[in-house]
Amino acid sequence: MTRERGAAMRRIHVGNALSAFGLGFTVPYLYVYVAQVRGLGAMTAGLVLAVFAVAALIVLPFAGRAIVRRGPLPVLLAALVTAALGSLGLGLAGDATAVLAAAVALGAGQAVMQPALATMIVDCSTAETRSRAFATQFFLQNLGLGVGGLIGGHLVDSTRVSSFTLLFAIEAAMFLLLAVVMTTVRLPRAPHVGDAPRSAKGSWKQLLGNRAMVQLCVLGFVLFFACYGQFESGLSAYGVEAAGISTSALGSALAANTAVIVVAQFAVLRFVERQKRSRVIAAVGLIWAVAWVVAGYAGLGHGSQTMATAAFVSTYALFGLGEAMLSPTVAPLVADLAPDGMAGQYNSAFALVKQLALAVGPAVGGPMGASLHAPYIVTFLLFSLGITYLALRLGRELTAVQDQPWLARKRVVARGGAAVRPVGAEA
């Protein structure tokens, strides 16, 4: 990586940490703020959470084209200003209409940030450094969310509206500070990897014609539906209703998930970046299948409450291990499948798939986890095994370098350090 790319990447990582820190401040307390502190009721609070997902689903199809045409930086800056206005609006809103309007702005801005930042990471990395770059992003995001949530929890007071206004103002300030940092980034042109088709048109038709990308999107939907879509809905409901998990133990489980990611991320990376991506994702499916078996023991077994709690916390820890393996695998693969100039479109498409999974996951898993305990575990155990099947099938659609970028680095070393382009790269 050149000095220019390295400097740009450091600023992007700082930006990722700042945005995650700001979101960690407010997201865990949004429901309480709307329903109780503002006194708008549970229905309005539920609508606010739904609006976040709907706003993302509306803007993401257009975000990809905008990134392709204008570049990721202008799109990111517009998203950050929109999110800052939405966050500040939430802190000042006193009625349901104002709260929902602010939630639309915050949800839309937050959704567009993801593919824009991911595209900037692609532009500042090479095939050999991309996995580490995305692993660092994921690490900093989780660290920022954890630290933000911890500090935010000590600042909020459900009896004082002003404490929540302060939180949302800090979140808005983080977005604006990130905008300032991003204006100093100078993006080089990213190299292209693999044998993905080339086209100047950023069309959805071309994307849907890329079989490997379509299969990756299907796989991505199952990944997010079976894991992230269950964290704060079905799995937590199952833990409380079936396993008798206390709210404090649920907090410990979430903390264990974050701790495993933070501690294991770079240790896992050293192993993962030398393996075939499809096999790494397949292994994650097996790890998550074990996690669902352990969750089944927590709620359906006949052990003590202490054993049930330990098993439930272990479930979240196992999910964290799988997440640490996915972060340097899936996002770089999306980038490597994209033709020249189309990374923004592909990142936006994958972000759209993620949002769909996160919208459908709680709607399906929540009621099942709360009342259909055994079917819930069996269903998501099968989904996890489905991840393994879909990953191995995807591997047959990938070129050797797309599936295992380490091969390109080995070829360079074998030829005495000459600047050898990866297979399928533009001449």
Side-chain angles (χ1 to χ4, degrees):
M1 182 180 294
T2 66
R3 181 175 299 179
E4 180 187 21
R5 283 201 183 102
M9 187 68 78
R10 285 191 291 273
R11 288 179 172 85
I12 294 169
H13 285 324
V14 168
N16 269 305
L18 287 174
S19 64
F21 180 78
L23 290 171
F25 250 68
T26 59
V27 170
Y29 316 106
L30 190 58
Y31 184 91
V32 173
Y33 170 71
V34 176
Q36 299 177 10
V37 178
R38 287 295 184 182
L40 298 177
M43 181 174 293
T44 302
L47 283 174
V48 167
L49 297 176
V51 160
F52 272 96
V54 172
L57 294 176
I58 291 173
V59 299
L60 281 171
F62 303 99
R65 293 298 298 272
I67 293 171
V68 169
R69 291 181 175 182
R70 304 294 182 184
L73 184 55
V75 175
L76 175 62
L77 294 177
L80 288 169
V81 172
T82 302
L85 292 174
S87 182
L88 196 58
L90 275 173
L92 298 175
D95 57 68
T97 301
V99 165
L100 290 172
V104 169
L106 180 56
Q110 180 185 342
V112 175
M113 284 181 216
Q114 298 176 34
L117 283 167
T119 304
M120 292 175 73
I121 290 176
V122 172
D123 288 348
C124 293
S125 62
T126 65
E128 294 78 18
T129 62
R130 197 160 291 148
S131 293
R132 186 166 294 272
F134 277 102
T136 302
Q137 178 202 31
F138 190 66
F139 169 82
L140 290 174
Q141 281 180 341
N142 279 275
L143 189 61
L145 285 169
V147 173
L150 182 63
I151 297 176
H154 286 86
L155 292 179
V156 294
D157 182 350
S158 59
T159 63
R160 292 190 302 116
V161 174
S162 60
S163 68
F164 284 86
T165 302
L166 174 62
L167 246 63
F168 284 107
I170 292 173
E171 180 183 41
M174 290 296 103
F175 289 139
L176 294 177
L177 178 58
L178 172 54
V180 172
V181 172
M182 289 298 101
T183 58
T184 67
V185 175
R186 297 294 177 264
L187 295 176
R189 178 173 174 78
H192 178 66
V193 179
D195 295 330
R198 302 182 186 91
S199 172
K201 297 180 180 179
S203 66
W204 285 94
K205 182 179 180 180
Q206 183 195 3
L207 188 151
L208 293 174
N210 187 330
R211 289 186 60 183
M213 183 60 189
V214 171
Q215 288 193 24
L216 180 58
C217 286
V218 173
L219 173 59
F221 181 89
V222 178
L223 280 168
F224 291 113
F225 176 78
C227 175
Y228 299 93
Q230 305 307 314
F231 267 11
E232 297 177 6
S233 58
L235 190 54
S236 59
Y238 169 84
V240 172
E241 298 295 337
I245 302 299
S246 65
T247 53
S248 61
L250 182 59
S252 298
L254 290 168
N257 175 264
T258 301
V260 168
I261 292 171
V262 171
V263 172
Q265 182 64 84
F266 292 103
V268 167
L269 176 64
R270 296 182 63 182
F271 169 77
V272 166
E273 64 183 355
R274 289 172 170 79
Q275 308 303 315
K276 288 187 176 181
R277 287 165 167 170
S278 57
R279 292 183 182 178
V280 171
I281 301 171
V284 170
L286 296 178
I287 291 172
W288 286 357
V290 173
W292 285 109
V293 170
V294 174
Y297 170 77
L300 305 175
H302 302 286
S304 65
Q305 187 59 48
T306 300
M307 291 296 293
T309 300
F312 193 74
V313 171
S314 298
T315 298
Y316 275 78
L318 286 169
F319 275 119
L321 178 60
E323 291 174 77
M325 294 170 66
L326 287 176
S327 62
T329 307
V330 175
L333 182 54
V334 173
D336 289 352
L337 289 174
D340 283 333
M342 291 265 297
Q345 180 103 19
Y346 276 55
N347 283 323
S348 295
F350 198 75
L352 178 62
V353 168
K354 176 180 178 180
Q355 288 296 328
L356 282 169
L358 293 181
V360 175
V364 174
M368 287 187 69
S371 57
L372 302 173
H373 303 148
Y376 177 69
I377 294 297
V378 172
T379 297
F380 286 93
L381 171 61
L382 293 176
F383 267 105
S384 296
L385 295 175
I387 291 170
T388 300
Y389 168 75
L390 290 172
L392 294 176
R393 184 180 176 188
L394 172 64
R396 295 195 289 269
E397 297 292 332
L398 302 176
T399 66
V401 175
Q402 287 170 346
D403 202 15
Q404 196 172 9
W406 182 257
L407 292 175
R409 189 184 305 180
K410 287 174 66 176
R411 288 170 186 167
V412 171
V413 173
R415 301 190 188 189
V420 180
R421 291 184 177 89
V423 175
E426 187 175 352

